[in-house]
Amino acid sequence: MMIKVVRGNPTPEELAAALAVVQARAAAAATAPPGATQERAAWSDPSRVAQRRLPTPGPRTWARTFWPG
């Protein structure tokens, strides 16, 4: 694993803390049982917006373009 600092000038302590978090996440992912995925909440699913009907053409359509419902 390689970590590269793109911006800033972190201290050795800050780098050690960031690396500890990354290693802990990797270890937790490695010990998770296969098929254990987190389900996304329904409100964050982009397909729910795409299922709605698009606004019909008219004088104020531009105002309703990006507002669902």
Side-chain angles (χ1 to χ4, degrees), residues 17-40:
L19 186 57
V21 170
V22 170
Q23 286 179 336
R25 295 280 303 208
T31 60
T37 59
Q38 293 179 347
E39 292 187 28
R40 291 176 26 170

Side-chain angles (χ1 to χ4, degrees), residues 40-68:
R40 291 176 26 170
W43 65 267
S44 67
D45 186 13
S47 67
R48 73 177 177 86
V49 176
Q51 292 173 352
R52 291 199 176 125
R53 199 174 54 128
L54 292 173
T56 57
R60 302 240 339 132
T61 302
W62 64 270
R64 296 187 309 257
T65 303
F66 296 107
W67 294 99

